[in-house]
Amino acid sequence: MKQRRFSKDFRLVIVGQIISLFGNAAIRFALPLYLLNITGSSALYGTVTACAFIPTILLSPIGGIIADRVNKRNIMVVLDFFTAAIVIVFSLLMESMNIVILLTIALMLLYGIAGAYQPSVQASIPALVSEENYMAANSVINAVSSLANLLGPVLGGILYSVYGLKPVLFVCIVCFLISAVMEIFIKIPFEKQASSGSILNIVKKDFAESIRFIYKEKPIIGKGLLIVCAINLFMSSMIIVGLPYLVTEVLNFDSVWANQLCGFAQGALAVGGLAGGVCAGFLGKKLKIQKAGNLLAVCALTVFPMGISLMLFSFAELNYIVITVCCMIIMVFSTIFTIQMMSFVQTETPKNLIGKVYSVILTVCMCAQPVGSALYGFLFEFSSGFEYMVVLFSGVASLIIALCTKGIFKLISQNN
């Protein structure tokens, strides 16, 4: 009998991810949009988004260390239950507390949980999938994330624009509870690692071990991380802040229709991520790591039509289409790039280090996100009427970074 590529437990992980990530995508779309609707300030929006990323940076290393020392299934179950509890508390307090403060705290907790959660999912791949199927497994994980990010904002945007925030919160609570219960039945092979000393000493030791592996044993990974940081600072942050701000506050749409269009645009990003994941899965070993720099160059070039359209045309519908299509194309190529890099890291990293190494990678990559979100929030706020200049600045900076990185990716190939 032909052996299945993926085990039953990996399939359960996938289903749990679909449900949990759908809730996560919906809540993380609705809460910032709610803030933008009631304030209209891109600077405040960017600042709150920046604050939300900080716990992810701080908790990702801890999440990776825990993922290598605790049963990964238990981590997923506990964090999904905890996420449901956070949304319940937010829904009970939203009418009695300062909404900006409450929303900021809620987003920080949600992003922090995501930072601690994802290392467990990535670290479970080598435990449940054979090495020759790493690329396919990563493609499935990315496709699931993209599918959830497609359905979450689209359905959440429709539900939010018609009925308000509370029904979105209720749906998300149900999603997290269902996911947590389902994950109880997952069996992930686990070998307890020996540990000595206090928790703080263990964290220091494991984090130092991961840093040493990335920057000394595999320095090419460290160089790749710096590239991703720069791209996150100049391109990803512009899209995260600029897309909802441009659609809801700059383009001349009715507020209810603008919120729905923002959800559709976020869904288009997910479609791009889904398409990129499918492409990476089909192409598999045909993707050459030394060509990865070309993917970033395509992403950077795709930013320019957005700025040019905003500069030359005043038609809201045309600008919306151009922005949405360009962002979707960026997501296609950036997803392929991400899958290539993660598969390379998983192949080169010992299984007992994979959770810690992934968490460090996530932490370093995310470091630029708060700075970029705050930067673009203020840039859009103070360039009212000239938003295209901010977009074009993002494209120029990203293209320079992409063109300067081709040699690094060729070096990765030479070291294999």
Side-chain angles (χ1 to χ4, degrees):
M1 183 180 293
K2 185 178 179 180
Q3 186 177 7
R4 290 190 176 185
R5 175 181 289 188
F6 300 132
S7 66
K8 172 185 143 183
D9 292 303
F10 182 74
R11 294 197 298 273
L12 278 175
V13 170
I14 295 302
V15 175
Q17 282 281 285
I18 292 174
I19 300 171
S20 179
L21 289 176
F22 170 81
N24 218 301
I27 193 72
R28 282 162 52 171
F29 166 77
L31 291 185
L33 185 60
Y34 181 70
L35 176 68
L36 195 56
N37 285 165
I38 62 177
T39 66
S41 171
S42 67
L44 181 60
Y45 177 86
T47 301
V48 171
T49 303
C51 291
F53 278 113
I54 293 174
T56 304
I57 296 171
L58 297 177
L59 291 179
S60 289
I62 298 175
I65 291 167
I66 294 174
D68 286 333
R69 293 184 176 273
V70 179
N71 191 303
K72 300 166 186 63
R73 184 272 315 273
N74 296 342
I75 298 172
M76 298 177 196
V77 172
V78 169
L79 291 181
D80 271 329
F81 275 127
F82 187 48
T83 305
I86 291 171
V87 182
I88 291 172
V89 172
F90 177 87
S91 64
L92 294 175
L93 296 178
M94 63 179 290
E95 294 179 356
S96 60
M97 277 188 65
N98 182 295
I99 192 62
V100 175
I101 295 175
L102 181 64
L103 196 146
T104 302
I105 293 172
L107 283 175
M108 289 178 73
L109 289 172
L110 291 171
Y111 274 78
I113 289 172
Y117 189 101
Q118 283 307 116
S120 297
V121 176
Q122 290 293 335
S124 70
I125 292 177
L128 298 175
V129 178
S130 59
E131 184 174 322
E132 61 268 22
N133 289 320
Y134 282 178
M135 179 71 82
N138 279 296
S139 297
V140 171
I141 291 290
N142 273 272
V144 164
S145 177
S146 299
L147 180 62
N149 287 328
L150 165 62
L151 298 177
V154 171
L155 298 181
I158 294 173
L159 192 63
Y160 169 72
S161 62
V162 176
Y163 298 105
L165 183 61
K166 284 202 170 181
V168 179
L169 299 177
F170 176 77
V171 170
C172 293
I173 291 168
V174 173
C175 287
F176 294 129
L177 292 176
I178 292 175
S179 177
V181 171
M182 178 179 297
E183 288 162 348
I184 293 173
F185 301 97
I186 298 172
K187 295 179 182 179
I188 300 177
F190 171 68
E191 293 183 9
K192 189 173 182 179
Q193 296 184 26
S195 60
S196 59
S198 66
I199 294 177
L200 182 60
N201 287 334
I202 292 172
V203 170
K204 287 181 179 178
K205 180 182 175 183
D206 284 359
F207 191 74
E209 185 180 8
S210 302
I211 293 291
R212 183 171 58 253
F213 176 81
I214 292 173
Y215 288 100
K216 292 194 174 179
E217 295 184 34
K218 293 289 181 180
I220 199 67
I221 296 178
K223 293 179 181 179
L225 288 184
L226 295 178
I227 295 168
V228 177
C229 277
I231 290 294
N232 280 346
L233 175 63
F234 290 106
M235 182 164 59
S236 300
S237 297
M238 187 277 292
I239 293 174
I240 290 172
V241 174
L243 180 60
Y245 178 70
L246 291 173
V247 173
T248 62
E249 304 299 323
V250 176
L251 302 182
N252 295 319
F253 291 118
D254 171 79
S255 59
V256 174
W257 181 229
N259 289 334
Q260 293 188 30
L261 287 175
C262 188
F264 296 148
Q266 295 285 352
L269 291 181
V271 170
L274 182 61
V278 171
C279 289
F282 275 115
L283 295 174
K285 294 180 180 179
K286 293 181 180 178
L287 292 171
K288 302 299 182 182
I289 197 71
Q290 68 265 29
K291 300 291 185 180
N294 294 337
L295 298 173
L296 294 181
V298 173
C299 292
L301 289 171
T302 310
V303 173
F304 287 95
M306 298 164 57
I308 293 171
S309 180
L310 287 169
M311 179 174 62
L312 297 180
F313 305 109
S314 59
F315 301 109
E317 291 80 5
L318 175 61
N319 284 323
Y320 173 79
I321 292 172
V322 172
I323 291 170
T324 303
V325 171
C326 287
C327 287
M328 184 171 65
I329 294 172
I330 290 170
M331 279 301 300
V332 172
F333 289 94
S334 63
T335 300
I336 297 173
F337 170 79
T338 300
I339 292 174
Q340 270 192 289
M341 293 302 296
M342 286 312 305
S343 299
F344 172 76
V345 171
Q346 287 168 346
T347 302
E348 296 295 313
T349 306
K351 289 185 179 181
N352 66 308
L353 291 178
I354 191 69
K356 294 186 283 287
V357 169
Y358 176 78
S359 67
V360 170
I361 290 173
L362 182 61
T363 300
V364 175
C365 290
M366 292 290 289
C367 280
Q369 211 80 61
V371 178
S373 295
L375 170 67
Y376 281 106
F378 283 99
L379 286 177
F380 278 116
E381 184 88 359
F382 293 109
S383 64
S384 180
F386 299 92
E387 291 84 4
Y388 65 88
M389 294 181 65
V390 179
V391 178
L392 292 176
F393 162 75
S394 170
V396 171
S398 301
L399 183 59
I400 292 172
I401 294 166
L403 294 177
C404 292
T405 59
K406 289 189 177 182
I408 292 177
F409 291 112
K410 288 181 180 179
L411 189 58
I412 291 178
S413 177
Q414 294 169 6
N415 280 279
N416 283 285

